[in-house]
Amino acid sequence: MVSQHGILLAISIISDHFGPLVSKVCGCLLRHGPLSLQDIIRRLQLSSGQVKNSLLVLIQHNCVQAYSTPRGSGDKTVTLYLAIFDNVLHRLRFSKFLSLVRVDIPESEVLLEGLLQNGRLTFDQLVGRTISKAPEGSPAPTREEIRMNFNKLVYAHYVERCPRPEPFFDPLADEQPTSTRKRAPKAVEIVLSLEQKILRTAALSDAERFSEIPYFMEGSSNANEHDNHAVAGGKRKHEDLEVDEEDSIIAENEVLWRTNFEKFIFCLKKKFCAERKKTKLKLGTHVIWEAFFEANVTNNDSKTVTSPINRILERVGQKEGGTSMTLDQIISVLNDLECISTTRNPEDFTFDLNKLVEACRNDEIESLVKKKHGQEAYTIFRLLLKQGCPVETDEITDRTILDKQVVHGTLYKLWKDEYIDSERVPYVSGTGGSQFFVWRVKNTYREQFIDHLYHTALNLRHMVNNLAELLLEGTKDETKLRNRKNILVLALTRHDESLMLFHDF
Amino acid sequence: MPPRKRPAPPLEDPTPASRSPPADQPSEPSDSATPTISQSILAKLPSQERQMYIVIFEAGSKGMWMQDIRKKLMLGPQIGNKIARNLVSMKLVKEVSDVRHRSKKVFMATDFQPSAEITGGTWYHDGRLDSDAVAAARRSCKAQVERLGVATAQMIHNGILRDNPNAGYTIDKIRDIVRTMVLDKVLEEVKSTGEGEFSSIRSGTVCYRVAWAAEGGMMEGIPCGICPRIDECSPEGVISPSTCVYYKKWLQMDF
Ligand code: SF4
């Protein structure tokens, strides 16, 4: 369940991008969970047309997923609409997604931009848009060029075919795994939220999601080179192409494409981890750390990255000072960096991103505790986190070697700020009854922190909007205002990194 | 470890009341030989004083709380205090301060030195934390770790003793100090792999090296991140971003 301020933040984003009506509908869905059209109309007292249009906008921009579900005991079904909180928040990161592609596949940036701006497009629409956007004076790209650049995005999984528009989902029957769930791990299955279950039901298989647009135009026969990646479902096999050509063209024209946020978030996660650790590396190990990340092969999870040693060596060799390093040296540094190889796969080195992410989360919260309540609070908070169980006041004093009065004062501050809980424990001794206090970290401290993250982002946006309005009105302090707004926008961008760290990574 | 009996209400902690410093409290612990009660002294004492002296003597270096003495001997508060005062004036018994309960009256036979449990140990002086001593010990430990790269507690201890034979820290004290430094993220705890920088340390041994400071996020740089009123703040509320003084101050700073 999304926290109070998470919902408010999502509403504010939608309101800024699509206006108050759409944001009302989105907010209603976020607060109440999936609802039918009738329910939304009733709750918001809006006309059916207004709600329908808002839903269309939200679906177009991947912020809502529709699904049908049984109604009553008969065969009747009803369509429900589910707001996708994560996708609303991703709207804050579009510029980050674009810069990733700008570095990786610059020639495809304009195509991604088209999808980000429009949510979902068919290839035809994308071609039309790209041609009309071509800079004046330069020749407009051909459809074939666009197709090739587009397939690069699909091949890299930056772009995917849209999920099923309205899958059937029966919450009562969802225990049985559906046949389409290719991504579900075989062994231990984590408990999924309703939202995740519905999105999984709607998702296409990976082969379908990332099947590229095959070449089927007359004329240029040498343009087949990208087709060998197109390992799609049976009907897209090469042999079938000739037979089904006509059908395929029609089908391709109808297929809707969208940005694959998962992939971008994974890239940002990788980048975040690489950079966080970079600042802590010893002299001379940078080269190897960079090479390790450049040599990554695609993993099928988002928790780790793996690089084969020969690719790492190749990359190290290309870097300054890299040629003089021996294999033993490199492997020893890799181990130091916690890039581990297993005996089963001695050639592959794997780094656990999630472990680092977890450490960074702790660092951020602890560092904030220090900033808010001082060094002693930091020490005590870390002690309580490490112990993971209630600790008695005097044991805290003993273990931290801090003054008793200071410990008492600090515990009170932490307790008041809802980081820790205390409990009075009665104690019966030979000399009569007494009591002592034990302390533990509240198990809600993370959620509270995340809610504050959302709240802070919301307030920053509020301030940015205030300044933008002032600028529109026009004042003589324009440069001053503009500078302030830039500071806020910058802060918001950096703050989003924390949001991703805690919510998306 | 079962919790010790130490009532410690955090909110209504009593201010240290009329604490009398112990008469003569050398900082070094006494010899290992346990003192025995002197029969000649006992023979000279009146009956009530004798009983109380025995009880206090038996408590040894832990001393005994006045209330416990009274309970044991079934004495009223006034008479109890009077006898205790007599014993103190005869220099048979002393009043010591208990670091955990500064307002409690604890008595101890003069033959004993207060145990670490009462004094708080090396880092306490007159029942108060000696912050300078702690800081000095931490500096010494850090200097050793910086010199060695990675070090076990034993290596740190050896290094300190070599540099300053009079430092007088026991290995346990060094361990305690190093643990607080890990909590403060001045040092970090790592297990030796027996290779590379750990080559001189047996694999699996706990050792320490200088830690990197925790990296915070943007939260701590934004007024709302450290704002004490954030839970009351909303655009329509009395406390609101539009009227926020913290923001005003923050944004003005750079101009
Ligand atoms: S806007 Fe001001 S009052 Fe509100 S949370 Fe931020 S700093 Fe606090």
Side-chain angles (χ1 to χ4, degrees), chain A residues 460-469 485 488-489 492:
Chain A
L460 274 172
R461 290 181 66 81
H462 193 89
M463 296 301 285
V464 172
N465 287 349
N466 274 359
L467 287 182
E469 262 169 44
K485 192 175 150 225
L488 288 169
V489 170
L492 200 52

Side-chain angles (χ1 to χ4, degrees), chain A residues 459, chain B residues 223-224 227 229-230 233 239-241 244 246-247:
Chain A
N459 285 352
Chain B
C224 308
C227 175
R229 315 295 297 269
I230 186 162
C233 177
I239 299 177
S240 122
C244 173
Y246 302 111
Y247 255 112

